[in-house]
Amino acid sequence: MSLKTIQAATGFKDYLPKEYQDLIDDGPFLQKRKVSELGSFKEALEEHPMCSGCAMTLFIRLCYVGFPSLEHTVLVGTAGCGRLAISQGAVPFVYGNYGDTNAVATGLKRGLEIRFKDQPKDVVVMAGDGGLADIGFHAVMHSWFRKEKFTTVMLDNEVYGNTGGQDSGMTQKGMVMKMAPTGKKFEKMDMLGLAKTAGVAYTARIAPTNPTRVANTIRKAVLIAREVGPTFIQAYTSCNIEYAIPTPKVMDDARAVEKDRYSFEEYFSDEAKAYWDESEKERKRLRKAKK
Amino acid sequence: MYAVAEIDAEICGATKCRLCTQFCPEGNTILYDETRGTAYVAVDRCKGCEICVGICDDLAKHHAIKMVPIDQVKEGFEISKVGFKRSLVESE
């Protein structure tokens, strides 16, 4: 398969929309872009209908920078807030039915492995806490038990934001929500603990307070998923509408929650750790050789 | 009436921090002009969340971003009209 996946056919470039022409000329494809370069290149994420000041959008935007090879990535999502932005990115996006994201990703990953033997294709599931921890729970768990080689990213806003603020399994105990008028009675689900038990190779818990760290974590998760096994990232992406956070305070809230209960935490399985240390050494060696 | 972010090119140009471009939730809304060395806003994309104002004031401590009512923006850059530009100086 040619690397020039997004090039225009000869003579047709002028007839493409301006946004597409910009992607060809100054886009993020076929080269590594850093978070510190944001604003200096045309991003894969186009204009989208997410709410003003949404931390989830910020996280998704940083994910697009973190993917190790954007042109060979396929995203899988489902109903929820996140898909409103993900569907506006210049990366193939598969809209699974509610509940089957990880089943769809399983088939997709296996199919792509057969079709493109020499080219690693990254499949990344990016859905909300409702789509992964509640409704898609069985598919998520079983994809982990089967050790499917793709990344699952949970955009954890701790609420069903898209349908008007019902509590989800990931909502904190005691929170008053639309379907929990006296406060939610059960604890927040421990998805990271479940992931470790299910044998996930790499898990991370993160809040979007440090853009470079978000991009690096995503990159790490996708690269480990390529070689070792399933990876899981749980990201705090507050819902400023349902939790009534004024938009200028969104980052203050993210920092406060990170300090309180959402600190950056990553876990490697032994195999993943060995692979990652080895590949880090290799990268260092290549960098030295370049100099 | 709604307000959009406006970046003071003089204050911003004196720094090389680029923090606002990393924290904006919108793609290609706060852009960075390599020639002038300053960030600038695509006013047609800005949703007025003020996250960049907080970042510039509290984190970077440069106080270069202010919210301005959209009808008082002078010569605002509109990315939907002209597309992505590496630098606004070249296009003039």
Side-chain angles (χ1 to χ4, degrees), chain B residues 26-77:
Chain B
E26 306 292 313
N28 283 129
T29 298
I30 301 186
L31 299 142
Y32 194 80
D33 190 326
E34 301 280 355
T35 318
R36 292 186 299 153
T38 170
Y40 62 103
V41 177
V43 293
D44 55 340
R45 286 280 192 88
C46 179
K47 288 178 181 168
C49 68
E50 294 185 43
I51 286 181
C52 55
V53 179
I55 294 293
C56 196
D57 287 356
D58 304 337
L59 212 63
K61 308 217 185 305
H62 292 141
H63 309 283
I65 310 181
K66 278 196 300 284
M67 299 306 289
V68 180
I70 185 75
D71 60 346
Q72 288 170 31
V73 173
K74 290 185 200 98
E75 296 170 14
F77 172 74

Side-chain angles (χ1 to χ4, degrees), chain A residues 172-184:
Chain A
Q172 287 278 103
K173 188 180 178 183
M175 282 306 296
V176 175
M177 312 260 47
K178 298 273 164 64
M179 291 298 202
T182 57
K184 194 191 164 200

Side-chain angles (χ1 to χ4, degrees), chain A residues 8-17 21 24-25:
Chain A
T10 322
F12 280 92
K13 192 179 156 194
D14 291 347
Y15 302 100
L16 288 169
Q21 292 180 27
I24 297 171
D25 296 334

Side-chain angles (χ1 to χ4, degrees), chain A residues 268-284:
Chain A
F268 291 84
S269 71
D270 295 341
E271 200 187 344
K273 186 73 192 155
Y275 162 72
W276 188 249
D277 288 349
E278 194 53 44
S279 61
E280 279 287 271
K281 255 187 230 163
E282 178 68 13
R283 261 190 293 279
K284 257 185 206 159

Side-chain angles (χ1 to χ4, degrees), chain A residues 217-235:
Chain A
T217 308
I218 288 284
R219 189 169 145 266
K220 205 183 284 179
V222 173
L223 288 176
I224 291 175
R226 252 186 216 174
E227 300 294 333
V228 185
T231 54
F232 175 60
I233 292 176
Q234 184 184 315

Side-chain angles (χ1 to χ4, degrees), chain A residues 102 128-144 152-154 156 168-171 187-200 202-205 231-235 262 265 267:
Chain A
N102 283 43
D129 49 322
L132 294 178
D134 290 355
I135 303 167
F137 185 66
H138 65 291
V140 171
M141 290 308 289
H142 276 276
S143 75
W144 289 347
T152 308
V153 181
M154 181 195 280
D156 180 17
S168 80
M170 298 297 283
T171 305
E187 293 288 344
K188 181 183 172 93
M189 285 169 73
D190 181 14
M191 283 302 278
L192 291 162
L194 287 167
K196 280 172 214 165
T197 309
V200 168
Y202 172 78
T203 70
R205 179 176 67 185
T231 54
F232 175 60
I233 292 176
Q234 184 184 315
Y262 231 101
E265 186 189 275
Y267 154 84

